[in-house]
Amino acid sequence: MRVGAIDCGTNSIRLLIADSITEVVDGAEKTVLKDVVREMRIVRLGQGVDATGWLAQEALDRTFGAAREYAQLLKEHGADSVRFVATSATRDAGNRQVFVDGIREILGTEPEVISGDEEAALSFAGAVRAVGYGDGDTLVFDLGGGSTEFVLGDDELGVKASRSVNIGCVRLTERHMLSAPATESQIARVEADTDEALGVARKTVPLQNARRVVAVAGTATTVAAAALGLDRYDSEAINAQSFSVETVQKTARWLASLNRTEREELGYMHPGRVDVIGAGATIYARILTRLNEMTDGAVDSVTVSEHDILDGIALSQL
């Protein structure tokens, strides 16, 4: 079966076309995905949503343009099934029906504006399929443009608890960190919002029970590329790599300290992340710092997965 998956978030819209194949692992059959096409466009759909509550027309135009490109790729590669999922920015927008109607017309597929809980579950499925489970509870967090999802689970019960909170690299850039390099007061405000969001998440998800942490999405993979000192973005070099909390803290501080030109010159930096990586990296490092404290040091590192909600959306169709 060939499936198409589209993840439309606050900052980017991504496409995965993949074949499901059966492999025998340790004597047991296992269904895996084999990539045919994997694409990303930075469209900043969530531009201004935190302040206005509405999707801007120019943001809709950018997103519809990318969707037309994806429609052509889906047609060329003959996907048997397509699922389109929209997340934080669309959930928050008063005019989201304009978005839904436009996507339906372009793709012939009904876009699903999913809840934060479902977003978390799909992210968890995609991440653990790629990096596996550890001993004890695994916490996956998906730091997006407008929201961050926390989901705790293990290999026996699967997902145990999840929560989506409204912190993300675009949302907190627009709210607190419009300059680059970031100032100490801007960093402090982003960290304060992150602490508040963690308090909300902890009411539903027992974060203190985590014994392994997996981070997904563009902020985490960009920080990983920086920590590895890559000359260009290399997903194979990044996937399943682990980093100490201290390494993430130092790397995040360094990225936030760069001006826009310095960020643009980094070979692994996607142009669409230049203005939001300061806030994103600050949120990321703060989450890990607080998890380290909550678990009394049991969480002292993070594993980065290149596979996330997009893979979860594809897997959900099998």
Side-chain angles (χ1 to χ4, degrees):
M1 183 177 181
R2 176 165 289 182
V3 297
I6 299 176
D7 165 39
C8 186
T10 300
N11 198 42
S12 65
I13 182 170
R14 299 180 299 151
L15 168 71
L16 172 62
I17 302 173
D19 291 331
S20 64
I21 59 175
T22 301
E23 294 182 346
V24 177
V25 180
D26 296 329
E29 289 190 348
K30 180 181 178 182
T31 301
V32 298
L33 294 174
K34 183 179 180 181
D35 287 13
V36 177
V37 173
R38 192 180 285 262
E39 296 280 339
M40 179 184 73
R41 304 284 186 273
I42 299 288
V43 294
R44 197 63 57 81
L45 178 62
Q47 173 191 331
V49 169
D50 186 57
T52 68
W54 291 80
L55 297 168
Q57 187 58 52
E58 58 265 35
L60 286 166
D61 291 342
R62 290 192 297 268
T63 306
F64 291 157
R68 291 186 186 95
E69 294 179 36
Y70 290 174
Q72 184 61 35
L73 287 169
L74 288 163
K75 182 179 179 180
E76 289 176 7
H77 292 280
D80 300 307
S81 172
V82 178
R83 186 180 184 192
F84 185 111
V85 163
T87 54
S88 176
T90 318
R91 281 198 300 268
D92 296 345
N95 60 337
R96 71 181 187 178
Q97 195 60 45
V98 175
F99 168 81
V100 170
D101 293 344
I103 292 297
R104 186 194 304 114
E105 181 180 349
I106 292 166
L107 287 165
T109 297
E110 187 72 20
E112 302 172 49
V113 183
I114 62 171
S115 69
D117 288 342
E118 184 171 3
E119 184 177 356
L122 290 169
S123 294
F124 187 83
V128 298
R129 180 64 70 101
V131 301
Y133 293 93
D135 294 329
D137 286 349
T138 293
L139 177 71
V140 173
F141 72 93
D142 182 343
L143 201 174
S147 67
T148 297
E149 285 66 50
F150 295 91
V151 54
L152 191 74
D154 63 21
D155 59 351
E156 183 177 348
L157 298 177
V159 174
K160 294 181 175 181
S162 65
R163 185 65 184 263
S164 177
V165 293
N166 283 337
I167 53 169
C169 60
V170 174
R171 190 185 296 272
L172 295 197
T173 294
E174 293 182 348
R175 191 181 293 176
H176 299 305
M177 200 177 280
L178 291 174
S179 67
T183 67
E184 288 300 320
S185 63
Q186 289 172 337
I187 290 171
R189 290 197 294 272
V190 170
E191 289 180 340
D193 279 10
T194 304
D195 287 350
E196 183 178 351
L198 284 167
V200 172
R202 197 174 183 180
K203 293 177 181 178
T204 307
V205 182
L207 302 175
Q208 69 278 4
N209 292 349
R211 291 299 174 266
R212 185 192 190 205
V213 175
V214 178
V216 301
T219 293
T221 57
T222 301
V223 172
L228 291 169
L230 300 182
D231 294 327
R232 59 179 180 80
Y233 195 88
D234 185 342
S235 60
E236 291 187 6
I238 291 168
N239 187 53
Q241 287 285 348
S242 294
F243 304 90
S244 69
V245 172
E246 183 181 8
T247 295
V248 172
Q249 291 168 336
K250 289 180 178 179
T251 306
R253 276 276 172 173
W254 176 70
L255 286 168
S257 75
L258 301 180
N259 61 39
R260 284 184 172 82
T261 300
E262 290 168 330
R263 294 174 187 178
E264 289 170 352
E265 291 173 350
L266 299 171
Y268 51 79
M269 182 71 67
H270 191 287
R273 297 203 185 279
V274 168
D275 61 331
V276 297
I277 191 61
T282 301
I283 297 166
Y284 180 39
R286 187 62 176 177
I287 288 171
L288 291 176
T289 299
R290 295 289 290 119
L291 288 172
N292 178 263
E293 294 168 356
M294 291 178 196
T295 61
D296 294 327
V299 169
D300 59 4
S301 65
V302 60
T303 300
V304 177
S305 174
E306 277 280 351
H307 301 273
D308 52 21
I309 185 173
L310 188 60
D311 301 79
I313 295 166
L315 289 166
S316 72
Q317 298 174 72
L318 304 182

PDB file of all heavy atoms in Angstrom, residues 137-152:
ATOM      1  N   ASP A 137       9.505   4.473  31.337  1.00  0.00           N
ATOM      2  CA  ASP A 137       8.650   5.340  30.536  1.00  0.00           C
ATOM      3  C   ASP A 137       9.461   6.242  29.603  1.00  0.00           C
ATOM      4  O   ASP A 137      10.458   6.846  30.009  1.00  0.00           O
ATOM      5  CB  ASP A 137       7.792   6.221  31.443  1.00  0.00           C
ATOM      6  CG  ASP A 137       6.668   5.437  32.113  1.00  0.00           C
ATOM      7  OD1 ASP A 137       6.438   4.274  31.713  1.00  0.00           O
ATOM      8  OD2 ASP A 137       6.028   5.980  33.026  1.00  0.00           O
ATOM      9  N   THR A 138       9.003   6.326  28.357  1.00  0.00           N
ATOM     10  CA  THR A 138       9.589   7.229  27.371  1.00  0.00           C
ATOM     11  C   THR A 138       8.693   8.452  27.226  1.00  0.00           C
ATOM     12  O   THR A 138       7.478   8.319  27.064  1.00  0.00           O
ATOM     13  CB  THR A 138       9.732   6.526  26.008  1.00  0.00           C
ATOM     14  OG1 THR A 138      10.698   5.478  26.108  1.00  0.00           O
ATOM     15  CG2 THR A 138      10.183   7.515  24.931  1.00  0.00           C
ATOM     16  N   LEU A 139       9.291   9.632  27.289  1.00  0.00           N
ATOM     17  CA  LEU A 139       8.574  10.871  27.054  1.00  0.00           C
ATOM     18  C   LEU A 139       8.995  11.416  25.695  1.00  0.00           C
ATOM     19  O   LEU A 139      10.172  11.674  25.459  1.00  0.00           O
ATOM     20  CB  LEU A 139       8.892  11.899  28.140  1.00  0.00           C
ATOM     21  CG  LEU A 139       8.248  13.274  27.946  1.00  0.00           C
ATOM     22  CD1 LEU A 139       6.746  13.216  28.193  1.00  0.00           C
ATOM     23  CD2 LEU A 139       8.897  14.322  28.862  1.00  0.00           C
ATOM     24  N   VAL A 140       8.029  11.570  24.803  1.00  0.00           N
ATOM     25  CA  VAL A 140       8.274  12.198  23.508  1.00  0.00           C
ATOM     26  C   VAL A 140       7.699  13.602  23.561  1.00  0.00           C
ATOM     27  O   VAL A 140       6.565  13.797  23.998  1.00  0.00           O
ATOM     28  CB  VAL A 140       7.608  11.411  22.363  1.00  0.00           C
ATOM     29  CG1 VAL A 140       7.732  12.174  21.034  1.00  0.00           C
ATOM     30  CG2 VAL A 140       8.232  10.024  22.231  1.00  0.00           C
ATOM     31  N   PHE A 141       8.501  14.596  23.154  1.00  0.00           N
ATOM     32  CA  PHE A 141       7.909  15.924  23.008  1.00  0.00           C
ATOM     33  C   PHE A 141       8.195  16.485  21.627  1.00  0.00           C
ATOM     34  O   PHE A 141       9.284  16.342  21.086  1.00  0.00           O
ATOM     35  CB  PHE A 141       8.301  16.881  24.148  1.00  0.00           C
ATOM     36  CG  PHE A 141       9.711  17.379  24.155  1.00  0.00           C
ATOM     37  CD1 PHE A 141      10.054  18.575  23.539  1.00  0.00           C
ATOM     38  CD2 PHE A 141      10.705  16.676  24.828  1.00  0.00           C
ATOM     39  CE1 PHE A 141      11.351  19.062  23.589  1.00  0.00           C
ATOM     40  CE2 PHE A 141      12.004  17.155  24.881  1.00  0.00           C
ATOM     41  CZ  PHE A 141      12.325  18.347  24.254  1.00  0.00           C
ATOM     42  N   ASP A 142       7.148  17.095  21.072  1.00  0.00           N
ATOM     43  CA  ASP A 142       7.152  17.616  19.713  1.00  0.00           C
ATOM     44  C   ASP A 142       7.019  19.129  19.805  1.00  0.00           C
ATOM     45  O   ASP A 142       5.936  19.656  20.043  1.00  0.00           O
ATOM     46  CB  ASP A 142       5.974  17.006  18.949  1.00  0.00           C
ATOM     47  CG  ASP A 142       5.916  17.443  17.492  1.00  0.00           C
ATOM     48  OD1 ASP A 142       6.562  18.450  17.140  1.00  0.00           O
ATOM     49  OD2 ASP A 142       5.210  16.791  16.702  1.00  0.00           O
ATOM     50  N   LEU A 143       8.137  19.819  19.637  1.00  0.00           N
ATOM     51  CA  LEU A 143       8.176  21.272  19.763  1.00  0.00           C
ATOM     52  C   LEU A 143       7.924  21.877  18.389  1.00  0.00           C
ATOM     53  O   LEU A 143       8.793  21.864  17.522  1.00  0.00           O
ATOM     54  CB  LEU A 143       9.539  21.707  20.309  1.00  0.00           C
ATOM     55  CG  LEU A 143       9.678  23.080  20.969  1.00  0.00           C
ATOM     56  CD1 LEU A 143      11.070  23.232  21.570  1.00  0.00           C
ATOM     57  CD2 LEU A 143       9.400  24.234  20.022  1.00  0.00           C
ATOM     58  N   GLY A 144       6.709  22.391  18.198  1.00  0.00           N
ATOM     59  CA  GLY A 144       6.331  22.922  16.905  1.00  0.00           C
ATOM     60  C   GLY A 144       6.375  24.436  16.857  1.00  0.00           C
ATOM     61  O   GLY A 144       7.022  25.094  17.678  1.00  0.00           O
ATOM     62  N   GLY A 145       5.653  24.991  15.898  1.00  0.00           N
ATOM     63  CA  GLY A 145       5.632  26.430  15.747  1.00  0.00           C
ATOM     64  C   GLY A 145       4.694  27.124  16.716  1.00  0.00           C
ATOM     65  O   GLY A 145       4.999  28.200  17.234  1.00  0.00           O
ATOM     66  N   GLY A 146       3.527  26.499  16.949  1.00  0.00           N
ATOM     67  CA  GLY A 146       2.546  27.122  17.822  1.00  0.00           C
ATOM     68  C   GLY A 146       2.269  26.374  19.096  1.00  0.00           C
ATOM     69  O   GLY A 146       1.745  26.946  20.058  1.00  0.00           O
ATOM     70  N   SER A 147       2.583  25.085  19.120  1.00  0.00           N
ATOM     71  CA  SER A 147       2.310  24.277  20.308  1.00  0.00           C
ATOM     72  C   SER A 147       3.397  23.240  20.501  1.00  0.00           C
ATOM     73  O   SER A 147       4.186  22.956  19.597  1.00  0.00           O
ATOM     74  CB  SER A 147       0.940  23.590  20.183  1.00  0.00           C
ATOM     75  OG  SER A 147       0.969  22.625  19.139  1.00  0.00           O
ATOM     76  N   THR A 148       3.423  22.678  21.701  1.00  0.00           N
ATOM     77  CA  THR A 148       4.333  21.576  22.016  1.00  0.00           C
ATOM     78  C   THR A 148       3.511  20.461  22.638  1.00  0.00           C
ATOM     79  O   THR A 148       2.701  20.703  23.540  1.00  0.00           O
ATOM     80  CB  THR A 148       5.444  22.019  22.978  1.00  0.00           C
ATOM     81  OG1 THR A 148       6.240  23.019  22.341  1.00  0.00           O
ATOM     82  CG2 THR A 148       6.342  20.848  23.366  1.00  0.00           C
ATOM     83  N   GLU A 149       3.724  19.248  22.146  1.00  0.00           N
ATOM     84  CA  GLU A 149       3.000  18.084  22.657  1.00  0.00           C
ATOM     85  C   GLU A 149       3.924  17.223  23.507  1.00  0.00           C
ATOM     86  O   GLU A 149       5.063  16.957  23.106  1.00  0.00           O
ATOM     87  CB  GLU A 149       2.437  17.252  21.498  1.00  0.00           C
ATOM     88  CG  GLU A 149       1.230  17.863  20.819  1.00  0.00           C
ATOM     89  CD  GLU A 149       1.556  19.161  20.104  1.00  0.00           C
ATOM     90  OE1 GLU A 149       2.540  19.168  19.338  1.00  0.00           O
ATOM     91  OE2 GLU A 149       0.841  20.154  20.331  1.00  0.00           O
ATOM     92  N   PHE A 150       3.424  16.812  24.651  1.00  0.00           N
ATOM     93  CA  PHE A 150       4.135  15.897  25.530  1.00  0.00           C
ATOM     94  C   PHE A 150       3.335  14.599  25.609  1.00  0.00           C
ATOM     95  O   PHE A 150       2.132  14.636  25.872  1.00  0.00           O
ATOM     96  CB  PHE A 150       4.270  16.480  26.939  1.00  0.00           C
ATOM     97  CG  PHE A 150       5.121  17.716  27.018  1.00  0.00           C
ATOM     98  CD1 PHE A 150       4.551  18.980  26.883  1.00  0.00           C
ATOM     99  CD2 PHE A 150       6.488  17.633  27.231  1.00  0.00           C
ATOM    100  CE1 PHE A 150       5.326  20.126  26.953  1.00  0.00           C
ATOM    101  CE2 PHE A 150       7.275  18.780  27.295  1.00  0.00           C
ATOM    102  CZ  PHE A 150       6.691  20.027  27.153  1.00  0.00           C
ATOM    103  N   VAL A 151       3.998  13.484  25.394  1.00  0.00           N
ATOM    104  CA  VAL A 151       3.296  12.205  25.487  1.00  0.00           C
ATOM    105  C   VAL A 151       4.212  11.181  26.140  1.00  0.00           C
ATOM    106  O   VAL A 151       5.374  11.027  25.771  1.00  0.00           O
ATOM    107  CB  VAL A 151       2.790  11.731  24.104  1.00  0.00           C
ATOM    108  CG1 VAL A 151       3.897  11.679  23.085  1.00  0.00           C
ATOM    109  CG2 VAL A 151       2.078  10.399  24.206  1.00  0.00           C
ATOM    110  N   LEU A 152       3.675  10.515  27.152  1.00  0.00           N
ATOM    111  CA  LEU A 152       4.418   9.528  27.939  1.00  0.00           C
ATOM    112  C   LEU A 152       3.860   8.145  27.654  1.00  0.00           C
ATOM    113  O   LEU A 152       2.648   7.942  27.587  1.00  0.00           O
ATOM    114  CB  LEU A 152       4.274   9.842  29.427  1.00  0.00           C
ATOM    115  CG  LEU A 152       5.180   9.078  30.398  1.00  0.00           C
ATOM    116  CD1 LEU A 152       6.609   9.619  30.314  1.00  0.00           C
ATOM    117  CD2 LEU A 152       4.657   9.209  31.834  1.00  0.00           C
TER     118      LEU A 152
END
